[in-house]
Every structure is written in structure tokens, then in C-alpha cells.
């Protein structure tokens, strides 16, 4: 799959393994969006998530997709290095949220994990800080943010 190859290149320096990404692309396609370079057609950014029937983001929700779940767990907002600091992530995430809320009526809440210092992007897109997360990856403290359907 060509998309997987391009996305793997973007992920080289990230911790999300390509196997998880491939699973999300195949099993949660409606919750996966990409941005392409208009000149080359190459993928330069993406946003992906999976659904959960849980009410709160949990460790298991990072690895499973429950298509009828009302909680959308946002896993990645990733931009290729040369496209960063140009507003692309903000535009893509806003578009993603608008698209999900207008096409996926079962989604009641979108939740994500972030490091505290990177919460600004998500706040700009309407997410609110909920506080330290019970879900942890590695040694660093992660924080949960969410956006609820109005």
C-alpha cells in the first residue's frame, strides 16, 4: 500500500510503530485523514484515531477500534518536518474535527494524550485540558485533553 510507505517515512522518528498505523488505516479508515502536497501529491501530514465504547481514554483504546464507540481516541497529528510551523497541523486538525462531528453522529467526545507543552495546538482547535492521564507511555507524564460534541 503506497500510503503506508509514505506514512512510515513520516514516522521514522516517532514511537508509534508502523504496524499500529497500518491497523488504524485499515480498520478505522473514516477516522484517518491526510494532507497532500498539491505539487507532488505526496502525503505531508495526517491525523488518525480509533473509536472506543469506553467513556474515558484507556490504555486498551490505544490499540483497538470499536466502530460503534462514542469516544474517538485521537492517536496522531503528524506533519512531515519540512511542513511544520506553517499552520498545516492546525488546519488539518480543525478540518478533521469538523468532518468527524458532521459525518459521525455516534461520536460524543474526542480525547487525546499530549505532553503538557504541546497542548497549545489542541487548545487552538477547541480541546480542553482535563489533567494528568492515567494512561502513560514511557517515563514522561502525559495529559488528557478532550473536545465534547455540543
Amino acid at each position: 500500500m503506497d500510503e503506508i510507505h509514505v506514512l512510515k517515512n513520516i514516522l521514522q522518528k516517532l514511537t508509534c510503530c508502523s504496524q499500529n498505523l497500518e491497523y488504524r488505516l485499515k480498520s478505522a479508515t473514516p477516522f484517518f485523514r491526510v494532507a497532500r502536497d498539491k505539487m507532488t501529491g505526496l502525503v505531508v501530514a495526517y491525523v488518525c484515531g480509533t473509536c472506543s465504547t469506553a467513556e474515558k481514554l484507556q490504555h486498551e483504546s490505544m490499540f483497538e477500534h470499536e466502530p460503534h464507540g462514542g469516544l474517538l481516541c485521537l492517536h496522531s497529528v503528524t506533519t512531515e518536518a519540512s511542513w511544520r510551523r506553517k499552520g498545516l497541523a492546525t488546519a488539518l486538525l480543525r478540518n478533521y474535527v469538523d468532518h468527524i462531528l458532521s459525518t459521525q453522529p455516534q461520536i460524543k467526545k474526542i480525547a487525546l494524550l499530549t505532553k503538557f507543552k504541546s497542548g497549545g495546538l489542541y487548545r487552538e482547535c477547541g480541546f480542553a485540558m482535563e489533567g494528568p492521564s492515567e494512561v502513560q507511555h514511557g517515563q514522561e507524564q502525559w495529559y488528557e485533553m478532550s473536545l465534547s460534541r455540543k
Side-chain angles (χ1 to χ4, degrees), residues 79-90 117 121 124:
T79 306
E80 202 275 326
S82 65
W83 285 81
R84 293 183 188 146
R85 311 297 305 162
K86 298 178 181 179
L88 179 59
T90 301
K117 64 183 178 185
L121 163 68
E124 263 187 69

Side-chain angles (χ1 to χ4, degrees), residues 67-109:
H68 303 293
L71 174 66
L72 175 57
C73 305
L74 195 63
H75 298 293
S76 300
V77 178
T78 305
T79 306
E80 202 275 326
S82 65
W83 285 81
R84 293 183 188 146
R85 311 297 305 162
K86 298 178 181 179
L88 179 59
T90 301
L92 181 59
L93 183 55
R94 283 182 178 152
N95 177 274
Y96 180 85
V97 168
D98 289 347
H99 176 75
I100 293 300
L101 295 178
S102 67
T103 64
Q104 302 293 329
Q106 81 278 14
I107 300 301
K108 305 299 179 213
K109 182 178 178 181

Side-chain angles (χ1 to χ4, degrees), residues 124-136:
E124 263 187 69
C125 294
F127 288 82
M129 181 64 71
E130 292 196 11
S133 176
E134 296 173 11
V135 179
Q136 294 300 309

